[in-house]
Amino acid sequence: MEQEQIIREVTLDLEKVSNSNELGEVRNKYLSKKGLISGLMVKMKDLPVEEKITFGKTVNELKEKVTNLIESKRAEIEEKELSAKLESERIDITMPGDDFARGSKHPISIINDEITQVFLGMGYTVKEGPEVEEDLYNFEMLNLPKDHPARDMQDTFYIDETRLLRTHTSPVQARTMLSLNGKGPVKIICPGKVYRKDDDDATHSHQFNQIEGLVVDKNVTMSDLKGTLELFAKKMFGNDRKVKFRSSYFPFTEPSVEVDVSCGKCGGKGCPMCKGTGWIEVLGAGMVHPNVLRMSGFDPEVYQGFAFGLGIDRVALLRYGIDDIRLLYSNDLRFLSQFGKEN
Ligand code: DAH
C-alpha cells in the first residue's frame, strides 16, 4: 500500500501551507469524509477477511500520522498568526496623546450648584417652572393684582395680555403650593433664568438668574428665616461673615426684609466694593403674605411660611470679584475658561 507515498505527499503539501485556510484545505484533502484516507477505508470492504485486519490497522496508523503532521503544522501556523496579529496591534505608549479642547463650567452654573448643595443639605428639594409664564402666577397669585403700583418694581417683557417672560422665580412658589392642595410642608428652592426690561450696564442685565426659596409649615417663624439665611451666608461666603436684616417691602411677604452680608473685601470697614458701607445686599426675603397662602389653597390660620429670593449672578460677581455683569453673558472664552476647570 502507498502509505509512504501518502506521508510524503502530506509533507510536501504542508510545506506549501502558510496560513490556516490553506491548512484547512490540506486537512480536507486527507481527513474529511470524502478525503483520501476515508477513501482507503471504503476500499477495505472489498478485501478478503484475512487482509481486512492488517489493512484496517495500517490505515488507522496512517490516519494518526497524517493527523499528527497536520496538527503540528497547525500549532506552528497559529503561533505565527498570533505573533503577526500582536505585532500589527502593537501600541506605542510613549507616543504623545491627542489633545482635545476641554470645556469648563460657567461661573453661574458653579455658583448655582454650590447654593443648591447648601440647601439640599438643609432638606430642600429643587423645583423648576416655565420661563414663559402667565401673568397669573408671576404677579396675581403673588398678591400683585393688575394695576398694582409695585408691578413697576419689575419692568416686564410682555408676550401678550396674559403671558410674559417671568421677572422672578417667585411664580414657582404659587405653582408648587397649588399642586399640593393646601397640605404642607413645603420646602423648596427654585433656580432659573429671569428677564427684565432693563438697559444693560455693568450692574444690570435684561436676563439674569435667581434662586427662590420657600418653606411652608405649621409654626414657621421669622427666626427660622433668620437662622436659615445666616447659615446660608456663612456656608456661601465664610464663617466670619455677619448678616444684617433690613426692613423692606415686597407685595408677597409681610413683613419683608432685605439681607446684607458684611463685605468680604474690607471686613466691614468700607471700601469701593461695598460702596463704603461695609455691607453688601444679597437677597430679599420675608414671611409669606397670608393672601399668597390663601390664593394657593393654604389656610393662613394653620400654615405660615417664609420665602427668599437671591440673584445667582450677583453672588458670582461677589465671589469672583467681577465688576461687570455683562461679562457673564458675552460668551468670551478668554473670560469663561478661567472658571471651573477643576470640575
Ligand atoms: N422676587 C423678588 C425679586 O425678584 C425677590 C424676593 C424677595 C423673593 C422676597 C422672595 C421674597 O421670595 O420673599 O425682586
Side-chain angles (χ1 to χ4, degrees):
M1 171 188 157
E2 65 272 31
Q3 196 184 350
E4 298 292 304
Q5 170 72 29
I6 291 180
I7 296 286
R8 260 201 307 281
E9 211 180 304
V10 174
T11 314
L12 275 176
D13 280 351
L14 286 178
E15 267 169 20
K16 288 183 227 139
V17 161
S18 63
N19 59 43
S20 357
N21 282 346
E22 290 169 8
L23 183 70
E25 279 164 25
V26 173
R27 192 180 183 286
N28 283 344
K29 177 172 168 191
Y30 295 94
L31 297 176
S32 70
K33 268 196 198 137
K34 289 190 178 149
L36 243 145
I37 295 195
S38 308
L40 291 175
M41 283 297 200
V42 173
K43 273 191 198 161
M44 194 162 80
K45 70 176 188 316
D46 304 327
L47 292 174
V49 186
E50 338 60 88
E51 281 179 37
K52 269 189 182 160
I53 297 177
T54 35
F55 185 83
K57 210 172 145 214
T58 318
V59 174
N60 272 337
E61 276 169 18
L62 177 63
K63 188 175 177 184
E64 199 181 318
K65 279 186 188 154
V66 171
T67 307
N68 285 343
L69 283 172
I70 289 176
E71 287 314 309
S72 67
K73 185 72 182 181
R74 183 189 307 285
E76 187 190 309
I77 280 189
E78 278 177 358
E79 199 184 308
K80 223 174 77 194
E81 286 181 343
L82 180 66
S83 42
K85 188 161 183 267
L86 289 176
E87 188 57 37
S88 73
E89 290 174 1
R90 191 194 204 101
I91 294 169
D92 181 355
I93 56 163
T94 62
M95 292 267 283
D98 287 339
D99 201 8
F100 56 91
R102 287 188 61 192
S104 56
K105 263 196 185 172
H106 194 283
I108 290 178
S109 300
I110 300 173
I111 298 294
N112 183 23
D113 291 350
E114 250 182 68
I115 298 175
T116 303
Q117 281 307 320
V118 172
F119 283 105
L120 288 180
M122 292 195 246
Y124 287 68
T125 50
V126 176
K127 285 268 178 223
E128 288 182 334
E131 287 171 34
V132 175
E133 184 54 282
E134 289 173 44
D135 187 285
L136 177 70
Y137 298 113
N138 194 82
F139 289 130
E140 284 173 54
M141 302 271 299
L142 296 170
N143 205 26
L144 276 149
K146 291 219 157 59
D147 304 321
H148 192 290
R151 283 194 179 205
D152 291 347
M153 288 163 78
Q154 303 181 355
D155 223 349
T156 309
F157 286 113
Y158 278 95
I159 290 167
D160 55 32
E161 279 284 298
T162 57
R163 286 178 305 164
L164 43 78
L165 293 181
R166 68 177 176 192
T167 55
H168 50 183
T169 41
S170 307
V172 187
Q173 286 189 20
R175 284 180 172 276
T176 308
M177 280 194 277
L178 268 180
S179 72
L180 294 172
N181 299 319
K183 274 223 166 62
V186 187
K187 203 169 177 187
I188 54 165
I189 52 165
C190 328
K193 287 195 202 92
V194 300
Y195 303 84
R196 298 213 189 148
K197 236 166 113 191
D198 276 331
D199 287 329
D200 292 359
D201 62 23
T203 54
H204 294 88
S205 167
H206 62 279
Q207 175 196 312
F208 55 105
N209 290 267
Q210 285 188 334
I211 292 192
E212 184 81 13
L214 173 70
V215 172
V216 177
D217 205 348
K218 293 168 184 164
N219 305 318
V220 174
T221 68
M222 187 94 180
S223 67
D224 296 316
L225 170 65
K226 239 187 131 188
T228 302
L229 295 181
E230 257 168 19
L231 183 62
F232 163 72
K234 287 192 193 302
K235 288 231 177 223
M236 231 15 234
F237 299 105
N239 270 332
D240 52 337
R241 297 298 191 92
K242 291 195 197 68
V243 177
K244 183 169 82 172
F245 285 65
R246 259 183 305 113
S247 137
S248 183
Y249 170 77
F250 298 103
F252 25 87
T253 43
E254 182 58 40
S256 302
V257 290
E258 271 172 286
V259 182
D260 299 343
V261 175
S262 59
C263 178
K265 198 152 194 178
C266 60
K269 285 192 212 83
C271 69
M273 174 114 161
C274 56
K275 301 195 185 100
T277 63
W279 296 96
I280 291 172
E281 186 192 318
V282 174
L283 48 80
M287 300 306 291
V288 181
H289 198 292
N291 286 350
V292 173
L293 289 171
R294 206 175 291 119
M295 278 189 276
S296 296
F298 277 73
D299 181 353
E301 299 296 327
V302 180
Y303 285 103
Q304 305 78 42
F306 67 75
F308 54 90
L310 74 135
I312 301 175
D313 308 60
R314 199 167 154 68
V315 177
L317 300 187
L318 290 172
R319 165 67 67 82
Y320 295 117
I322 302 166
D323 57 9
D324 192 329
I325 192 172
R326 289 169 295 193
L327 283 166
L328 296 176
Y329 293 98
S330 52
N331 274 345
D332 185 339
L333 288 181
R334 291 168 304 177
F335 170 76
L336 292 176
S337 62
Q338 298 173 59
F339 304 90
K341 278 288 188 213
E342 71 279 9
N343 297 310

